[in-house]
Amino acid sequence: MAGDYDYARNELEEDEMKIKTGIEYMDSLKQLNPVIYYMGKKIKDVTEHPATAPHVRAAAMTYAIAVQDEYKDLATATSHLTGRTIGRFTHVHQSVEDLIKKVKLLRLLGQKTGTCFQRCVGFDGINAVYSTVYEIDQKYKTNYMERFKKWLIRIQDENLMVVGAMTDPKGDRSKGPAEQKDPDQYLHIVERRENGIVIRGAKLHMTGAVNSHEILIMPTTAMNESSKDYAFICSVPIDAPGIIMIFGRQANDSRRDMNESIDVGKPSFGVVGGEAVIVFEDVFVPWENVFMDGETDFTGLVVHRFAAHHRANYGACKTGLMDVLTGAVTYLAHSQGTAKGSHVRDKVTEMIHLSETLYSSSIACSAEGVPTSSGAYMVDTMLANVCKHNVTRFHFEVARLAVDLAGGFIATLPSEHDLQSEEVGHLVKKYFLGVEGIPVEDRIKIGRLIEAMTGGTAMVESMHGAGSPQAQRIMIFREGQLNKKMKLAKALAGIPQRKKFYHHNSARSDRNIIF
């Protein structure tokens, strides 16, 4: 079910993007033939299967709002490559204004869907790869940028959804890619042909993979010369021969699969982003779609830039989800007659405070953005890591407050079948009634929405999506400019600068730490 939203409403001019409306996006997926498994069985149509359809509809919202006059300024952009109007999710940031518009767009979409709308990983991959391949070309006189531009123009003109594929299985994590007993634990090149490369391995936890059009593959970590076959960037269609996807389970998916609309909590949209394992079994990639091949000294840079862009997003999209959750709890309090309680108002106020604080963090790292040598803009990497680290605390606290305010009601609700039962339905309606005038069905629906947004998968994704909290703490320490801060303190205390006696290697040589 698509809810109350008309995905086909409005259209852009015919000379603009090939895929314009949400319904056109869903129709485009029907033209693909990917190999996807769920619960041991193949999925024939991701737009119809109950496990994947909610995630398709969430992604469709990114197209649907772009054709509404109210949101066009946020959801579309002007391509710096062609001058044509494009979807913002295929855009390369050209200014601080672009970075801030992205933040506002992501919060809006979080509010519209209450879940992950899945296009951010590909969006951030496009921006990280664009600036990185430019610098590879500058150093090695390669032609990766021209290949990438040609590919990107097609992505922009057709308005395709791209899944960014970065996370490898990693196997024994005490060992690097080339040291693994099983070389497939990191996606790698197994053959270089005259017309392209052949790759083998897998990428895990890929958000939106099953309902994207293309896969943008990136390395998952900084690498040394021994890992040249693992140091590559390329793109492939999701239905390329040799690609197999395995769709992951999520909280309450049995309710969703049985079309229990009320018990699902969010019947139109998924719980999170619809993650999948992508297996590459000797997949061929033509040279025109290869954007890095063995330049190991740039693997760390593309990972660093991708991570920063992606971590900046979380203060926006998760704020949109927190807005929905705050509204849901407020409505539930009204339906139960507790809205005027001082402790209720205080906790709702704290939920608002945490949401806006998180949002300001996302705005800040965008406002402090700077251009790279390619001209593409980069968020402030320190503030981006702070932003994502705040998500791992603030979103959980908002969820905790929501569950606190909702009470045990959301954990012990009878099922939709009981509500509709001829034998006991009248009892459910009698004893779960709250404030007069508010239907018991509405109270149950909002309770299930709170349950869906505070339990299981959603909270794990907020904690570990875009890197675990420790990943941000490492980057925050590296980017903390401790050398500069110690000099400030020493100057005020009248301590002279002395011989360096400890040197900590950093990913950024201009921010090395000296004690």
Side-chain angles (χ1 to χ4, degrees):
M1 82 182 58
D4 296 328
Y5 202 89
D6 181 2
Y7 288 107
R9 186 181 300 157
N10 298 326
E11 289 189 356
L12 295 176
E13 296 299 323
E14 288 299 322
D15 61 349
E16 294 179 353
M17 297 166 285
K18 181 177 178 181
I19 301 173
K20 297 180 288 294
T21 67
I23 201 70
E24 288 177 350
Y25 159 69
M26 290 188 274
D27 286 344
S28 73
L29 297 179
K30 293 178 180 290
Q31 308 306 311
L32 303 176
N33 191 32
V35 178
I36 304 168
Y37 284 85
Y38 172 68
M39 301 287 285
K41 298 179 180 179
K42 280 188 178 181
I43 292 178
K44 294 182 179 180
D45 185 348
V46 294
T47 69
E48 299 292 340
H49 195 284
T52 54
H55 308 290
V56 172
R57 291 192 289 267
M61 187 64 77
T62 68
Y63 292 88
I65 66 168
V67 296
Q68 293 188 68
D69 290 338
E70 183 180 359
Y71 304 126
K72 279 183 182 179
D73 184 54
L74 292 182
T76 64
T78 300
S79 171
H80 76 292
L81 299 175
T82 65
R84 293 191 282 270
T85 298
I86 60 174
R88 188 166 296 279
F89 284 101
T90 67
H91 185 48
V92 175
H93 308 300
Q94 298 297 298
S95 64
V96 165
E97 183 182 17
D98 275 342
L99 295 172
I100 292 176
K101 283 184 176 180
K102 177 188 75 167
V103 170
K104 294 181 178 181
L105 173 63
L106 301 191
R107 185 173 189 177
L108 171 67
L109 284 163
Q111 294 168 343
K112 293 284 187 181
T113 65
T115 189
C116 175
F117 34 90
Q118 307 147 59
R119 294 187 73 184
C120 296
V121 184
F123 189 13
D124 299 327
I126 286 170
N127 276 271
V129 171
Y130 183 93
S131 61
T132 300
V133 298
Y134 176 88
E135 293 178 31
I136 297 175
D137 281 359
Q138 293 299 301
K139 181 174 181 178
Y140 291 112
K141 309 304 178 186
T142 48
N143 68 334
Y144 296 134
M145 178 58 100
E146 287 308 308
R147 295 180 189 176
F148 190 72
K149 283 181 177 179
K150 184 177 179 180
W151 173 82
L152 182 56
I153 288 171
R154 178 174 65 83
I155 296 298
Q156 291 180 342
D157 285 349
E158 297 187 25
N159 199 14
L160 300 182
M161 179 167 162
V162 176
V163 53
M166 179 169 279
T167 305
D168 290 280
K170 299 186 180 75
D172 182 346
R173 299 186 183 209
S174 69
K175 299 178 180 179
E179 301 168 326
Q180 298 291 324
K181 182 176 181 180
D182 178 359
D184 299 345
Q185 292 301 319
Y186 286 79
L187 186 61
H188 61 117
I189 298 172
V190 295
E191 184 182 355
R192 289 178 176 83
R193 300 175 180 173
E194 184 178 343
N195 57 344
I197 61 175
V198 178
I199 60 176
R200 185 187 303 157
K203 294 288 186 178
L204 305 187
H205 323 305
M206 296 296 98
T207 301
V210 300
N211 52 292
S212 290
H213 301 97
E214 298 247 348
I215 306 169
L216 179 59
I217 298 165
M218 298 166 282
T220 194
T221 188
M223 299 177 186
N224 57 33
E225 283 296 305
S226 69
S227 300
K228 289 178 73 71
D229 288 342
Y230 299 84
F232 67 96
I233 300 171
C234 68
S235 69
V236 292
I238 69 163
D239 56 357
I243 293 178
I244 299 172
M245 289 186 272
I246 308 167
F247 192 71
R249 295 206 68 174
Q250 298 180 340
N252 295 337
D253 57 5
S254 61
R255 301 183 190 179
R256 176 198 62 202
D257 295 350
M258 293 174 67
N259 292 315
E260 298 177 349
S261 60
I262 294 177
D263 287 347
V264 169
K266 288 187 290 181
S268 291
F269 305 114
V271 177
V272 193
E275 283 71 31
V277 176
I278 309 178
V279 178
F280 301 83
E281 294 192 333
D282 293 351
V283 175
F284 174 73
V285 185
W287 284 118
E288 57 263 31
N289 284 0
V290 177
F291 314 124
M292 171 196 278
D293 178 20
E295 291 81 11
T296 55
D297 50 330
F298 282 91
T299 53
L301 182 63
V302 71
V303 173
H304 176 76
R305 288 179 175 173
F306 169 82
H309 275 305
H310 201 49
R311 289 166 185 171
N313 296 348
Y314 272 65
C317 64
K318 300 310 177 196
T319 302
L321 271 60
M322 291 153 71
D323 290 337
V324 173
L325 192 52
T326 303
V329 168
T330 302
Y331 179 76
L332 184 61
H334 281 289
S335 72
Q336 296 178 158
T338 59
K340 294 183 179 180
S342 60
H343 73 287
V344 173
R345 294 167 63 91
D346 185 61
K347 289 171 183 174
V348 170
T349 299
E350 180 63 7
M351 293 172 75
I352 296 169
H353 166 70
L354 290 170
S355 299
E356 298 304 330
T357 301
L358 182 57
Y359 181 63
S360 67
S361 185
S362 197
I363 288 287
C365 63
S366 302
E368 291 289 309
V370 294
T372 62
S373 57
S374 69
Y377 267 67
M378 186 72 206
V379 295
D380 183 285
T381 54
M382 166 59 123
L383 295 181
N385 280 278
V386 170
C387 175
K388 172 55 177 62
H389 201 57
N390 283 340
V391 173
T392 67
R393 299 178 178 182
F394 294 179
H395 195 180
F396 276 72
E397 179 62 9
V398 166
R400 186 191 68 79
L401 289 168
V403 172
D404 179 4
L405 289 169
F409 168 77
I410 65 170
T412 60
L413 277 172
S415 75
E416 177 179 349
H417 301 288
D418 295 310
L419 177 65
Q420 297 172 350
S421 166
E422 292 184 5
E423 289 80 10
V424 297
H426 66 287
L427 299 175
V428 174
K429 292 178 181 179
K430 176 180 176 69
Y431 291 112
F432 281 91
L433 184 67
V435 171
E436 186 177 356
I438 297 180
V440 67
E441 290 91 341
D442 290 359
R443 184 184 177 212
I444 290 175
K445 285 179 179 179
I446 210 72
R448 288 298 191 200
L449 175 62
I450 295 169
E451 178 192 27
M453 296 189 72
T454 58
T457 310
M459 301 314 298
V460 173
E461 196 271 342
S462 280
M463 179 65 81
H464 293 286
S468 67
Q470 186 59 24
Q472 289 103 61
R473 297 186 74 86
I474 290 170
M475 292 307 301
I476 290 167
F477 181 77
R478 286 180 177 177
E479 306 241 9
Q481 301 186 62
L482 295 183
N483 185 40
K484 177 180 177 181
K485 291 170 182 176
M486 284 190 292
K487 287 181 179 179
L488 294 174
K490 287 180 178 180
L492 286 175
I495 300 173
Q497 296 294 326
R498 297 189 175 90
K499 184 179 179 180
K500 306 170 185 177
F501 61 90
Y502 179 82
H503 187 265
H504 175 82
N505 288 324
S506 169
R508 296 279 297 275
S509 59
D510 60 327
R511 294 185 179 180
N512 284 345
I513 302 159
I514 302 164
F515 294 97

